[in-house]
Amino acid sequence: MEFDAVIVGSGPNGLAAAIEIARAGHSVCVLEARDTIGGGARTAELTQPGFLHDVCSAIHPFGIASPFFKTLPLSQYGLEWIHSTACLAHPFDDGPPALLYRSIAKTSATLGIDARAYEKRFSPFVRNAQNLLAEILAPPIHVPRHPFLLMRFGLNAIQSAQGFAGRHFQGGRARSLFLGIAGHSNMPLDHSPTAAFGLLLAMLGHVEGWPIVKGGSQKLSDALASYLTSLGGQIVTGTHIKSLGQLPAARAVIFDLTPRQILNLASDQLPPSYRWELRKYRYGPGVFKVDWALSSPIPWKSRECLQAATVHVGGSAGEIAEGERIVASGRSPERPFVLLAQQSLFDETRTPAGKHTAWGYCHVPNNSKIDMTERIESQIERFAPGFRDCILARHAMTAPELEAYNPNYVGGDITGGVQNLLQIVARPSLRVKPYTTPVKGLFICSSSTPPGGAVHGMCGYHAARTVLSTILHHRAVRG
């Protein structure tokens, strides 16, 4: 059977690309190597029966804010967002935590001396968030509809997170909160443009929140897949593509894969110059992840942490920055910055009655095999004495094990490649249309294309629009 488009990989971007092409009336088939769809948005019983753990992504500020997802009737296909009272808690050794709420004023009230500075810095971006988000999540080369707004954001975003926090905040609470949020960049926090991640994620918290998916992240993937099949799209699981010759006939092939896998699949079809560009594409640090089945909620010293589905466990701004610097130098920190989620506090479908789960990871050097379980749990115990006494079972994954689970996580890098200034523009190579390759009919839609990592589907959407405007355009006109 021949299709208009075949997508290799069923992550959120692959499914998004398939949906956009199917919505335009074209035939689509998605091929997935594993027995379940979802890529980085899957859920499984990793520890004990009845305990549902998000295997990779867990918290979805980009998912709920995605301009593309907003156009889809996903609630009709089982997607339900759940919001915790606070988006994020950041505990300290002494005193109450800093808290990120939907309300800027309520957030500012937890930041002490920097309350007014925080509100002044974020209010203009939050007021214009929808216009700004559309610009940020667009391909890097485009004519901005709101150039002055984008320029204002860009002048702040291009800074390092440490530089931005040092310039605008006087106290440790706001600096620590901001650097913790910027830590999602998976980059050293004295590097540009890590401030962009702190600004964007905090802004999304104030506009859309940092929700979880009821029943687990798999439900988001399932909703996308169900909507795709309602449009006539096909999904085939358990099909590991090792060469282009295995693919069904199609006018367009779209890879929800990183450059390394594309080289493995299609190296003989790509010109030498493009192969060179893909080979020099850089991947960032990996992650080490632990899931816990718990007998009770985490016993935080600061009970306010129970308001948030996400907790940043790292202490002061200086500690967080030092931990990320150590990772970038190729070593594993003794006191890692831990990004933790406690979904079962807000979603009772995740566990047996009265029990709980927790999900956490820290950054490690790419492809590190070091077991960070003890260091991660020590950090949590520091802010939640008695945490270890709550553990019923745990499941850990090293960086290589994460890559074995999802080959797009090269060396454990969950962001699809370093997101520095060069690889924001040249992602994965310097092309006017970054979703194309030099080979007619071959395209890329993974997080190794703009706008990069996170569960938002925008890489897939933009790739699909490129396919529709080139390979499939003439057929649509004739139809």
Side-chain angles (χ1 to χ4, degrees):
M1 180 177 181
E2 181 174 350
F3 296 93
D4 289 322
V6 167
I7 291 87
V8 181
S10 71
N13 284 311
L15 293 172
I19 287 171
E20 184 62 11
I21 292 172
R23 286 204 300 185
H26 299 285
S27 59
V28 180
C29 181
V30 177
L31 303 176
E32 168 57 44
R34 298 186 67 88
D35 292 333
T36 57
I37 61 161
R42 292 189 177 109
T43 304
E45 293 180 329
L46 298 177
T47 55
Q48 293 184 344
F51 289 81
L52 297 177
H53 303 274
D54 291 326
V55 184
C56 303
S57 63
I59 308 295
H60 298 287
F62 280 100
I64 194 169
S66 167
F68 177 63
F69 288 170
K70 283 179 178 290
T71 69
L72 310 180
L74 298 181
S75 62
Q76 298 176 26
Y77 294 88
L79 177 64
E80 183 177 341
W81 298 110
I82 295 178
H83 291 272
S84 50
T85 305
C87 301
L88 163 68
H90 188 119
F92 300 99
D93 291 304
D94 298 305
L99 295 163
L100 179 72
Y101 290 102
R102 296 281 293 274
S103 163
I104 292 182
K106 198 172 179 181
T107 301
S108 299
T110 74
L111 300 180
I113 192 174
D114 289 307
R116 291 187 64 185
Y118 182 91
E119 188 160 2
K120 177 182 179 182
R121 187 54 47 189
F122 278 92
S123 290
F125 298 139
V126 171
R127 284 196 302 269
N128 296 283
Q130 299 305 325
N131 292 334
L132 187 55
L133 189 64
E135 299 284 10
I136 294 169
L137 296 182
I141 300 176
H142 73 283
V143 178
R145 298 181 62 183
H146 306 279
F148 296 109
L149 174 63
L150 185 60
M151 182 182 299
R152 182 176 183 180
F153 180 84
L155 290 173
N156 289 277
I158 200 171
Q159 302 174 45
S160 72
Q162 278 186 280
F164 177 91
R167 291 182 186 93
H168 297 291
F169 304 132
Q170 299 179 46
R173 299 178 64 79
R175 290 179 179 180
S176 300
L177 179 69
F178 186 79
L179 259 67
I181 298 172
H184 287 258
S185 65
N186 199 16
M187 292 169 58
L189 295 171
D190 60 350
H191 286 202
S192 171
T194 50
F197 296 85
L199 288 165
L200 182 54
L201 284 168
M203 180 188 76
L204 290 178
H206 295 309
V207 176
E208 299 282 3
W210 286 20
I212 61 175
V213 177
K214 185 175 182 179
S217 296
Q218 184 72 53
K219 297 294 186 181
L220 171 58
S221 299
D222 291 345
L224 290 168
S226 295
Y227 181 52
L228 173 61
T229 56
S230 78
L231 297 171
Q234 297 185 33
I235 301 173
V236 181
T237 59
T239 304
H240 186 193
I241 302 299
K242 298 180 180 179
S243 70
L244 294 182
Q246 291 179 257
L247 297 174
R251 300 178 68 201
V253 174
I254 310 171
F255 298 116
D256 186 6
L257 306 171
T258 75
R260 184 171 299 182
Q261 287 97 327
I262 294 170
L263 281 168
N264 290 338
L265 279 177
S267 182
D268 59 341
Q269 306 247 351
L270 303 173
S273 60
Y274 189 68
R275 292 201 303 267
W276 177 80
E277 287 188 275
L278 296 188
R279 287 193 185 103
K280 71 181 180 66
Y281 185 79
R282 289 181 55 208
Y283 296 92
V287 304
F288 180 93
K289 177 176 177 282
V290 188
D291 289 280
W292 296 273
L294 303 174
S295 62
S296 65
I298 297 174
W300 301 105
K301 284 191 294 186
S302 298
R303 305 299 287 174
E304 297 96 328
C305 291
L306 295 172
Q307 297 180 37
T310 303
V311 184
H312 285 167
V313 183
S316 70
E319 285 183 272
I320 295 169
E322 176 63 9
E324 297 301 280
R325 185 195 67 77
I326 289 172
V327 171
S329 73
R331 297 176 291 128
S332 297
E334 290 298 322
R335 282 189 159 188
F337 171 50
V338 180
L339 300 94
L340 182 143
Q342 44 189 6
Q343 302 98 311
S344 62
L345 287 178
F346 311 96
D347 181 5
E348 61 185 15
T349 69
R350 304 278 186 124
T351 60
K355 301 298 189 284
H356 286 274
T357 61
W359 168 108
Y361 73 88
C362 70
H363 297 132
V364 294
N366 191 277
N367 210 39
S368 169
K369 298 178 177 65
I370 293 178
D371 188 329
M372 296 291 287
T373 303
E374 175 62 29
R375 300 184 205 186
I376 288 175
E377 291 183 356
S378 292
Q379 280 286 71
I380 299 171
E381 188 86 17
R382 170 184 166 191
F383 299 98
F387 168 69
R388 288 190 177 95
D389 297 333
C390 304
I391 298 174
L392 299 172
R394 63 173 63 82
H395 176 274
M397 298 177 77
T398 64
E401 288 169 340
L402 276 163
E403 180 179 355
Y405 180 82
N406 183 350
N408 276 7
Y409 294 162
V410 176
D413 177 4
I414 61 175
T415 62
V418 173
Q419 298 185 105
N420 57 18
L421 285 175
L422 175 61
Q423 286 196 176
I424 287 175
V425 177
R427 192 171 186 87
S429 65
L430 189 59
R431 298 178 65 80
V432 175
K433 294 182 177 181
Y435 313 97
T436 64
T437 74
V439 179
K440 183 178 180 180
L442 297 185
F443 300 83
I444 310 174
C445 74
S446 71
S447 59
S448 298
T449 63
V455 177
H456 45 54
M458 295 303 295
C459 307
Y461 167 76
H462 292 309
R465 296 310 307 171
T466 302
V467 172
L468 289 169
S469 66
T470 55
I471 299 297
L472 301 182
H473 171 69
H474 298 296
R475 177 170 173 176
V477 170
R478 287 198 303 270

